[in-house]
Amino acid sequence: MGRERIAKRAAQELTDGMVVNLGIGIPSLIPNFLGDKRIFFQAENGVLGIGKSPMKGKEDANLCNAAGYPVTVVRGASYFDSATAFAMIRKGLIDVTVLGGLQVSEKGDLANWMVPGKRVPGVGGGMELAQKTKKVIVVMSHVNKHNEPKIVSACTLPLTARRCVDLIITDRAVIEVTDEGLLLTEVMAPYDVEEVVRYTAAPLRMAETLKRVE
Amino acid sequence: MGRERIAKRAAQELTDGMVVNLGIGIPSLIPNFLGDKRIFFQAENGVLGIGKSPMKGKEDANLCNAAGYPVTVVRGASYFDSATAFAMIRKGLIDVTVLGGLQVSEKGDLANWMVPGKRVPGVGGGMELAQKTKKVIVVMSHVNKHNEPKIVSACTLPLTARRCVDLIITDRAVIEVTDEGLLLTEVMAPYDVEEVVRYTAAPLRMAETLKRVE
Amino acid sequence: MIQNEYGKIISIEQAISYITDGCSLMVGGFGGVGSPPSLLQAIIEKGVGGLTLICNDTAFPHLGVGPLICEGRVKKAIVSHIGSNPVAGQRMRDGALDVEFCPQGVLVERIRAGGAGLGGILVDIGVDHEWFAAGKQVIEVNGKRFLLELPLTADVSIVYAKKADPFGNLIYDKSARNTNPLVAMAGTITIAEVEEIVPLGALDPEAIVTPGVFVHYIVQSNGVNWKWIWEENESPNGQHKN
Amino acid sequence: MIQNEYGKIISIEQAISYITDGCSLMVGGFGGVGSPPSLLQAIIEKGVGGLTLICNDTAFPHLGVGPLICEGRVKKAIVSHIGSNPVAGQRMRDGALDVEFCPQGVLVERIRAGGAGLGGILVDIGVDHEWFAAGKQVIEVNGKRFLLELPLTADVSIVYAKKADPFGNLIYDKSARNTNPLVAMAGTITIAEVEEIVPLGALDPEAIVTPGVFVHYIVQSNGVNWKWIWEENESPNGQHKN
């Protein structure tokens, strides 16, 4: 439920004609909330123009997203090799990437790939996406399962990239990362500003337009 | 006439199934002497599988060799970008290149791209081809227009690549570049061994199988 | 009947003879999609071990390169992640598998560099990262710092393609292309497993993705012999299910 | 009627507004083959000058990028050779044109590096060459010496393609592909002049060579407005006539 709400809010950041790369997890729910916006979804395995999931029984094992699940393509799609996929990414041609997060710092540092002492999955393509995409949106729960803030003054987990995050969307708040620090722009009901501040381990400025979202 | 004879002799070095890059000038005459050998000719502008010249009136301006002249392609040909063309070259996948030469040293150094004080045409793709091709054949006149040897103990002209030449074919002789220096294997009539030696400014060993070609 | 005009079409058994204990093996594919199933199965059956595996990832335990990991045939893996193969993580923690992690875009570019005969590439990915920068030369260009990343090649590259002609020209199928064209360039010997071998001239020269000069041998595939994760799990619902 | 769904289809006049005095201009093509004729003519007519030109070569005096050189619009050229354009040589000797020569394979790889967001590449081409190594960093890797070659990008890249769809996906025509896909990647702004604009979905996703994300603007070509050298000279006879 919280995941869907986060995805729905993130979907509002995407506009017609954008080229977008979605991470796994919550970001993968975003296409459900785009209406008729024409977004070109890019994937690291070499597809630009990913469409809806296929109907059951219509899956093509040779047409998958970066997570290995079957997809379809839209008109104007193209296939290419993974080096070309990352050329697009490093050249800064991806408009928006939406990634999951373990920690985000007040400077916009992102940690999203490993917890020391746990299994080491490897960083995949996250470093390139986080460092090079024009706009990086992190979607995540506001606190971890120990009820600890995931938005912190400095990340303690291994970093994915420094100063890369532009916008944080959680189940409790929308926060912009600005040169002057974190700016709280939206608070999600039933949470209130006080709760958001308490569960955020970094200074938050209040936006003039701060709004509560029901 | 001498040019045709050189090209004909060079053509004997090419065998079925080889991938070959031909320089401009004398090398471009070689395809006339290949009979039914199936050679895959590669060009730096991004063609593998160049065939015969088109009939007059059948030229396609978008199908040219590296010198800008119209060609055709054989069955199994492919088009690709120039970076891929040079990937093939640098990876060492070209079996033979036949290049023109201004000077070749006894160690196999090649100078073939400029005469100081004259116009500077630029090196084109010659450095990569000379340095990276499995077998480098240089075809040239035995002496320059001042009747000076072009096969020398050390090149005085700007180098294309060092220790790259495997075989030299001139209007007067065929000479292998070996670890023990230059090995004269064929002398072309009407020249004789003595004349070849006199007009070669580097030590020549005589091959046991040295033969005179009528 | 396809003419074997260039002697490149061989049996899977012949192909596997090039893959020997302790060799480096580069495998095309991404999460198992686009990996050559028949060659991988033949490697398992042959029983070679001590391999250095270079691949985008370690796939899933039962598909792609996953079984090579699970059966202990791999000594070292150079990959971008092992997240989809828990056995790889377990073997790494047990000290049975040495894993070199490389950011995904850097990994594929290192493979391309190997295939293109470059001596290395400079990237600003991970340049200040305590782990990814470790042991690498830092090169400064106009005041900006870059990591020197070295090319990757392998004794044998194996790839999966849709069609080959007898010269080894390849076309791929949709996103099963992924790392295959890069891996095809980077092998000292490159073997392509293909769904279909077509006569010389049957492929459009414009559409060929891997020119045949990069391909040394071609084998006919027996098809995918594993279940995909989305076939095992419930069918995906919604869009972009992961 | 083609829908201009992404606003990328513009007039030649609009396209030329991005090319201004003193800018860097990268042009696809090889000996003029595959260079965009209508854009090049419009640049000449507009009268911009002081350009830094990055191109495989300086073509021939009357075709491709040749007229830009001959009319003195280029301050500096980064090319692999000027052998087919005597005017370029003359202007270089006169001090009116600064030419940076680069081995051809290194040049195209530098352009690709620019387009792929790399910080540089290492090559062993020309590493001990008194001219080509001059002023370049030498990097040692495992005891072997390489030149560090830097990426090339440009304010504007112009390319020539056979077909584009409204998103800017491109396919090329035979050997007119040459440097175009690389140049298309390397522009801050990339403009594609195309023989034909087709509807979205009309291009086979497998056959697209340049994905549309690399292309900012598309213009309809008026076709080649020069004579090819082989049309001017006697018709080629024999094979591989040069």
Side-chain angles (χ1 to χ4, degrees):
Chain A
M1 186 51 227
R3 289 161 54 91
E4 303 270 317
R5 190 177 184 183
I6 294 171
K8 189 173 176 183
R9 176 61 188 82
Q12 292 174 22
E13 298 294 318
L14 307 187
T15 57
D16 234 26
M18 275 185 172
V19 175
V20 175
N21 184 301
L22 298 178
I24 59 174
I26 297 174
S28 68
L29 305 173
I30 291 173
N32 298 328
F33 303 104
L34 288 173
D36 58 359
K37 282 188 266 194
R38 290 165 315 162
I39 310 291
F40 267 86
F41 288 108
Q42 192 252 20
E44 301 93 305
N45 55 336
V47 189
L48 181 57
I50 287 179
K52 295 179 192 298
S53 295
M55 304 289 286
K56 186 166 178 165
K58 297 284 187 188
E59 299 92 348
D60 182 337
N62 287 343
L63 180 48
C64 290
N65 60 19
Y69 276 86
V71 294
T72 60
V73 291
V74 300
R75 285 186 312 139
S78 55
Y79 305 117
F80 37 86
D81 64 45
S82 294
T84 304
F86 279 95
M88 295 173 187
I89 293 169
R90 275 191 310 264
K91 182 88 192 304
L93 297 174
I94 309 299
D95 294 307
V96 176
T97 188
V98 188
L99 300 171
L102 295 169
Q103 284 181 333
V104 177
S105 83
E106 61 179 311
K107 292 198 160 69
D109 296 349
L110 171 65
N112 81 341
W113 68 286
M114 75 162 290
V115 181
K118 301 273 177 121
R119 70 195 180 97
V120 183
V123 71
M127 291 176 75
E128 286 94 338
L129 281 165
Q131 189 173 328
K132 296 296 188 180
T133 305
K134 288 179 198 158
K135 181 170 185 174
V136 175
I137 300 175
V138 170
V139 291
M140 61 183 187
S141 58
H142 206 89
V143 297
N144 67 20
K145 58 185 171 185
H146 306 299
N147 217 26
E148 296 162 345
K150 294 171 73 172
I151 301 169
V152 294
S153 52
C155 295
T156 54
L157 296 173
L159 286 189
T160 306
R162 287 180 203 280
R163 294 175 179 271
C164 61
V165 179
D166 297 287
L167 189 67
I168 308 165
I169 300 174
T170 76
D171 51 328
R172 303 186 186 183
V174 177
I175 297 169
E176 287 178 21
V177 182
T178 74
D179 290 343
E180 291 79 41
L182 301 176
L183 184 70
L184 180 65
T185 60
E186 296 173 38
V187 172
M188 307 299 190
Y191 300 97
D192 61 23
V193 170
E194 193 197 337
E195 283 169 301
V196 168
V197 169
R198 190 184 327 141
Y199 285 99
T200 302
L204 280 180
R205 288 184 305 121
M206 302 298 133
E208 285 184 21
T209 57
L210 176 61
K211 66 178 175 184
R212 178 180 164 94
V213 180
E214 296 306 320
Chain B
M1 187 51 226
R3 288 161 55 91
E4 303 269 318
R5 189 178 184 184
I6 294 171
K8 188 174 175 182
R9 177 59 189 82
Q12 293 174 22
E13 299 294 317
L14 307 187
T15 58
D16 234 25
M18 275 184 173
V19 175
V20 175
N21 185 300
L22 297 179
I24 60 174
I26 298 174
S28 68
L29 305 172
I30 291 173
N32 298 328
F33 302 104
L34 287 174
D36 58 0
K37 281 188 267 195
R38 291 165 314 161
I39 310 292
F40 267 85
F41 288 108
Q42 192 253 21
E44 300 93 306
N45 55 335
V47 190
L48 180 58
I50 288 179
K52 295 179 192 299
S53 295
M55 303 290 286
K56 186 166 178 164
K58 298 283 186 190
E59 299 92 348
D60 181 338
N62 287 343
L63 181 48
C64 291
N65 60 19
Y69 275 87
V71 295
T72 60
V73 291
V74 300
R75 285 187 311 140
S78 55
Y79 303 116
F80 38 85
D81 65 45
S82 293
T84 304
F86 279 95
M88 295 172 186
I89 293 169
R90 276 192 310 264
K91 184 88 191 304
L93 298 174
I94 308 300
D95 294 308
V96 177
T97 187
V98 188
L99 300 171
L102 295 169
Q103 284 181 332
V104 177
S105 83
E106 61 179 314
K107 293 197 160 69
D109 297 348
L110 171 65
N112 80 340
W113 68 286
M114 74 161 291
V115 180
K118 300 274 179 122
R119 70 195 180 99
V120 183
V123 71
M127 290 176 75
E128 285 95 340
L129 281 165
Q131 189 173 327
K132 296 295 189 180
T133 305
K134 288 179 198 160
K135 181 171 186 174
V136 175
I137 301 174
V138 170
V139 293
M140 61 183 186
S141 59
H142 206 89
V143 297
N144 67 19
K145 59 185 170 184
H146 306 298
N147 217 25
E148 295 161 345
K150 294 170 72 170
I151 302 168
V152 294
S153 51
C155 294
T156 54
L157 296 173
L159 286 189
T160 305
R162 287 179 204 280
R163 294 174 177 270
C164 62
V165 179
D166 296 288
L167 188 68
I168 308 164
I169 301 174
T170 75
D171 52 327
R172 302 185 185 184
V174 177
I175 296 169
E176 287 178 22
V177 182
T178 74
D179 290 343
E180 291 79 40
L182 302 176
L183 183 69
L184 180 64
T185 60
E186 296 174 37
V187 172
M188 307 299 191
Y191 301 96
D192 61 24
V193 171
E194 193 196 339
E195 283 168 300
V196 168
V197 170
R198 190 185 326 143
Y199 286 98
T200 302
L204 281 180
R205 289 184 303 121
M206 303 298 135
E208 283 184 23
T209 57
L210 176 61
K211 67 178 175 184
R212 178 180 164 92
V213 180
E214 295 307 320
Chain C
M1 186 58 197
I2 303 289
Q3 267 201 291
N4 191 4
E5 306 163 65
Y6 299 93
K8 291 187 178 185
I9 305 170
I10 60 175
S11 68
I12 288 175
E13 194 180 9
Q14 287 172 307
I16 292 304
S17 71
Y18 294 101
I19 300 165
T20 54
D21 281 344
C23 82
S24 55
L25 177 69
M26 198 180 289
V27 184
F30 193 113
V33 176
S35 290
S38 305
L39 286 170
L40 286 168
Q41 181 171 357
I43 294 169
I44 292 282
E45 286 170 2
K46 184 185 177 185
V48 283
L51 300 172
T52 295
L53 174 71
I54 302 165
C55 191
N56 183 71
D57 53 77
T58 49
F60 297 84
H62 64 291
L63 67 81
V65 298
L68 287 182
I69 301 283
C70 297
E71 301 218 5
R73 308 302 176 79
V74 178
K75 178 184 64 187
K76 179 178 181 179
I78 303 173
V79 293
S80 71
H81 75 85
I82 59 173
S84 50
N85 189 338
V87 180
Q90 189 56 54
R91 297 190 76 90
M92 187 179 76
R93 284 189 299 278
D94 294 348
L97 174 67
D98 179 16
V99 181
E100 178 183 333
F101 288 110
C102 186
Q104 203 164 70
V106 176
L107 179 66
V108 290
E109 202 64 31
R110 289 176 66 191
I111 293 171
R112 184 188 175 278
L118 300 177
I121 51 169
L122 301 196
V123 299
D124 62 356
I125 305 298
V127 68
D128 290 318
H129 200 287
E130 53 178 331
W131 297 0
F132 292 102
K136 293 174 185 168
Q137 282 192 57
V138 174
I139 311 284
E140 203 170 300
V141 180
N142 300 325
K144 205 182 156 194
R145 301 167 72 246
F146 295 91
L147 287 184
L148 171 59
E149 295 278 359
L150 299 183
L152 289 170
T153 58
D155 296 326
V156 181
S157 278
I158 60 176
V159 299
Y160 189 55
K162 186 176 183 184
K163 294 183 185 181
D165 68 20
F167 185 56
N169 291 309
L170 303 181
I171 63 168
Y172 301 92
D173 188 26
K174 307 184 195 74
S175 71
R177 184 185 307 194
N178 56 60
T179 66
N180 277 299
L182 310 161
V183 170
M185 294 168 73
T188 302
I189 295 172
T190 292
I191 307 171
E193 173 177 339
V194 302
E195 288 179 44
E196 190 184 357
I197 303 173
V198 300
L200 201 69
L203 298 177
D204 177 0
E206 298 279 8
I208 289 167
V209 176
T210 296
V213 69
F214 290 111
V215 177
H216 301 83
Y217 298 110
I218 304 153
V219 302
Q220 171 69 52
S221 178
N222 300 320
V224 166
N225 53 0
W226 54 63
K227 273 206 160 195
W228 297 102
I229 37 163
W230 48 270
E231 290 177 312
E232 296 201 327
N233 304 343
E234 279 208 320
S235 168
N237 49 39
Q239 296 161 315
H240 279 264
K241 171 92 162 56
N242 286 298
Chain D
M1 186 59 197
I2 304 289
Q3 268 201 288
N4 191 4
E5 307 162 66
Y6 300 94
K8 292 187 178 185
I9 305 171
I10 61 175
S11 69
I12 288 175
E13 195 179 8
Q14 288 172 307
I16 292 305
S17 72
Y18 295 101
I19 300 165
T20 53
D21 281 344
C23 82
S24 55
L25 179 69
M26 199 180 288
V27 185
F30 193 113
V33 176
S35 291
S38 305
L39 286 171
L40 286 168
Q41 182 172 355
I43 293 169
I44 292 280
E45 286 171 4
K46 183 184 178 186
V48 284
L51 300 171
T52 295
L53 174 71
I54 303 165
C55 191
N56 183 71
D57 54 76
T58 50
F60 297 84
H62 66 290
L63 68 81
V65 298
L68 286 183
I69 300 283
C70 296
E71 300 217 8
R73 308 303 177 80
V74 179
K75 179 184 62 185
K76 179 178 181 178
I78 303 174
V79 292
S80 72
H81 75 86
I82 60 171
S84 50
N85 189 339
V87 180
Q90 189 57 52
R91 296 189 76 88
M92 186 179 77
R93 284 189 299 278
D94 293 348
L97 176 67
D98 179 18
V99 181
E100 178 183 332
F101 288 110
C102 186
Q104 203 163 71
V106 176
L107 179 67
V108 290
E109 202 64 32
R110 289 176 66 192
I111 293 171
R112 184 188 176 280
L118 301 177
I121 52 169
L122 302 196
V123 299
D124 62 356
I125 304 298
V127 68
D128 290 317
H129 200 286
E130 52 178 333
W131 296 0
F132 292 103
K136 294 173 186 168
Q137 282 193 57
V138 174
I139 311 285
E140 203 169 301
V141 180
N142 300 327
K144 204 182 157 195
R145 300 167 72 247
F146 294 92
L147 287 185
L148 171 59
E149 296 278 359
L150 299 183
L152 290 170
T153 57
D155 296 325
V156 182
S157 278
I158 59 175
V159 299
Y160 190 55
K162 185 176 184 184
K163 294 183 185 181
D165 68 21
F167 185 57
N169 291 309
L170 303 180
I171 62 168
Y172 301 91
D173 188 25
K174 307 184 194 77
S175 71
R177 183 183 309 194
N178 56 60
T179 66
N180 277 299
L182 310 161
V183 170
M185 295 167 73
T188 302
I189 295 172
T190 292
I191 307 169
E193 173 177 337
V194 303
E195 288 180 44
E196 189 184 357
I197 302 174
V198 300
L200 202 68
L203 299 177
D204 177 359
E206 298 279 8
I208 289 167
V209 175
T210 295
V213 69
F214 290 112
V215 177
H216 301 82
Y217 298 110
I218 305 153
V219 301
Q220 172 68 54
S221 179
N222 300 319
V224 167
N225 54 1
W226 54 64
K227 274 207 159 194
W228 298 102
I229 38 163
W230 49 270
E231 290 176 312
E232 296 200 326
N233 304 343
E234 279 208 320
S235 168
N237 49 39
Q239 296 161 315
H240 279 265
K241 172 90 164 58
N242 288 298

